[in-house]
Amino acid sequence: MRSRSPARLLDRDAELEAIAEAVERAGAGAGTTVVVEGVAGIGKTSLLDHARRRGSEAGMTVLAARAAEFEASYAWGVVRQLLERTVRGEGDERARRLLGGAARLAAPVIGIAPEPDDGPSDDYAVAHGLYWLAANLAEEAPLLLAVDDIHWADTASLRAIVHLARRLEGLPILVVLTVRAPRSAGAAGDALIAGLMAEPGITVLRPAALGASACEALVEDELAEDAASGFKAACQELTGGNPFLMHALLESLAADGVGGGEADVEHVRRLTPEAVSRKVLLQLGRMPAGTRAVARAVAVLGTGATTARACRLAELDDEAGVAAVEALMAEHLVQGDRELAFVHPLVRAAVYEDLAPPVRERWHERAARVLADTGAPLEELTVQLLASG
């Protein structure tokens, strides 16, 4: 199979231009919010990653988080992902400065200070504190906050992010969110997201399916430059121009030795989109048992997945576990440095949903023990215990 550049985004000129403009405006002090909405696999995460790269190149501080469906009960989990490490990571003096004034209201929810003696602050007060914390961070350098799959965020984090996103005027802050359509955040969450997207000044991007020219280019890039026109059309027809499904289909066809000739058209037409989206399971099935176990561990741990935790949950020693992680990365299934994540939510969903519910509950119970043994916060343990039934 021909290699492809992860930065190659086809049929996205309007979206890339809007992101470039938003980065420029935020850098000049005109804060703004961009929401990327679309069906699974349409390329929302790719656009979010592009925004992060553009922001970093423009000298912005880039903080990112990704929500996961079974972590919605972890209050302030997404906010902690975004802010906790950067606030705590460079000494007490900086933390005190960033949390000065009204920003101190945010300190308890990101683990910097205990709850006040008179009980926890209400969500609005914390959201107000988080607004001022973001403003203080933006005084150091323009700030980009990126949240993937906001529809799975816990309600407290979602309220705080929407509160901030509505109040960026005059601040060098860019908020970029992705949300799946149709939305699935529950009645309250859907109302918050819909209300934000209806706000004046919010940029909403809805990437469409790839057109014929883009699909043909992908086939030529990833499978065969001389692929038959009928074969290219069959690939587009099968996937509906969904970028994730196109990539998955072409990887699967390449692994099967399909060359893209007219004789291969019927082979493509016999496939189904569901088979393409779950090709990752076939890919994993050809890998050693330890590698499959690590993939399942990463899926179960969610945003708490690190190499050490995944290896321990998969019951592998360090050497075997690291080799399994390397194999998953080589197959373009998993990515990350300190934290591990699947390259796309659909890949994680395929691995996670392949576990039968009773087996999945046992994995979550074991994950809670691993997190407890490695000193994870109580909230992360609670998420796993709730999922264990």
Side-chain angles (χ1 to χ4, degrees):
M1 180 175 65
R2 298 168 61 84
S3 63
R4 72 173 187 267
S5 166
R8 181 171 168 81
L9 295 172
L10 300 169
D11 270 5
R12 297 292 181 257
D13 291 349
E15 289 84 358
L16 298 181
E17 183 178 348
I19 288 170
E21 180 182 344
V23 169
E24 183 177 354
R25 288 175 57 199
T32 188
T33 297
V34 175
V35 180
V36 185
E37 182 184 42
V39 298
I42 202 64
K44 302 184 296 297
T45 300
S46 296
L47 289 170
L48 183 79
D49 290 343
H50 174 81
R52 291 171 60 184
R53 288 193 297 272
R54 286 296 298 259
S56 180
E57 291 166 1
M60 304 181 80
T61 298
V62 179
L63 305 179
R66 172 180 288 179
E69 62 268 45
F70 68 84
E71 296 177 344
S73 58
Y74 176 18
W76 304 108
V78 170
V79 162
R80 286 188 177 223
Q81 278 191 66
L82 274 176
L83 298 168
E84 183 174 16
R85 185 177 302 170
T86 192
V87 174
R88 301 183 65 168
E90 299 195 20
D92 293 340
E93 181 59 36
R94 180 171 181 266
R96 280 194 292 271
R97 177 169 52 80
L98 291 174
L99 292 167
R104 70 183 183 279
L105 295 168
V109 304
I110 57 174
I112 304 297
E115 296 284 1
D117 293 338
D118 57 353
S121 303
D122 62 66
D123 284 2
Y124 180 82
V126 174
H128 184 63
L130 290 166
Y131 166 86
W132 282 106
L133 173 55
N136 291 344
L137 279 165
E139 287 185 355
E140 300 179 337
L143 178 65
L144 192 157
L145 300 176
V147 183
D148 204 8
D149 290 333
I150 192 70
H151 50 278
W152 282 331
D154 61 279
T155 302
S157 291
L158 180 56
R159 289 185 187 279
I161 291 166
V162 169
H163 178 88
L164 171 64
R166 285 173 165 160
R167 294 165 172 81
L168 296 179
E169 185 176 354
L171 293 175
I173 299 177
L174 171 60
V175 174
V176 184
L177 312 172
T178 70
V179 60
R180 184 174 295 183
R183 292 186 290 273
S184 55
D190 286 349
L192 282 169
I193 294 169
L196 174 64
M197 293 171 64
E199 287 278 328
I202 302 294
T203 299
V204 179
L205 305 178
R206 294 186 174 91
L210 300 179
S213 297
C215 290
E216 290 172 2
L218 281 178
V219 174
E220 293 168 2
D221 283 353
E222 300 186 24
L223 191 69
E225 289 182 349
D226 59 350
S229 58
F231 179 86
K232 297 173 186 175
C235 291
Q236 180 186 9
E237 180 181 352
L238 173 64
T239 63
N242 182 291
F244 175 81
L245 294 182
M246 277 291 297
H247 288 306
L249 171 64
L250 295 171
E251 288 177 5
S252 180
L253 293 174
D256 292 340
V258 175
E262 288 290 351
D264 297 317
V265 172
E266 288 305 315
H267 173 74
V268 173
R269 286 179 174 163
R270 286 194 297 269
L271 299 175
T272 66
E274 291 77 15
V276 175
S277 66
R278 291 177 63 84
K279 70 93 192 176
V280 64
L281 298 180
L282 299 177
Q283 193 174 354
L284 283 170
R286 295 192 291 265
M287 303 177 79
T291 306
R292 295 196 298 274
V294 169
R296 289 174 171 175
V298 174
V300 168
L301 287 165
T303 54
T306 64
T307 297
R309 289 172 176 173
C311 294
R312 185 165 178 179
L313 182 55
E315 299 180 335
L316 296 177
D317 60 37
D318 290 346
E319 183 176 354
V322 169
V325 171
E326 290 177 343
L328 291 169
M329 289 183 172
E331 290 289 322
H332 305 293
L333 296 173
V334 165
Q335 62 187 2
D337 297 319
R338 184 177 181 278
E339 289 90 10
L340 301 178
F342 288 97
V343 296
H344 195 280
L346 284 177
V347 178
R348 181 195 169 275
V351 175
Y352 185 72
E353 292 170 8
D354 188 53
L355 292 167
V359 177
R360 190 185 306 157
E361 290 181 354
R362 288 199 298 273
W363 275 78
H364 280 295
E365 181 181 353
R366 290 170 46 216
R369 298 181 187 279
V370 169
L371 292 174
D373 291 343
T374 55
L378 179 61
E379 294 89 345
E380 293 186 27
L381 274 65
T382 303
V383 169
Q384 294 292 339
L385 290 172
L386 288 171
S388 75

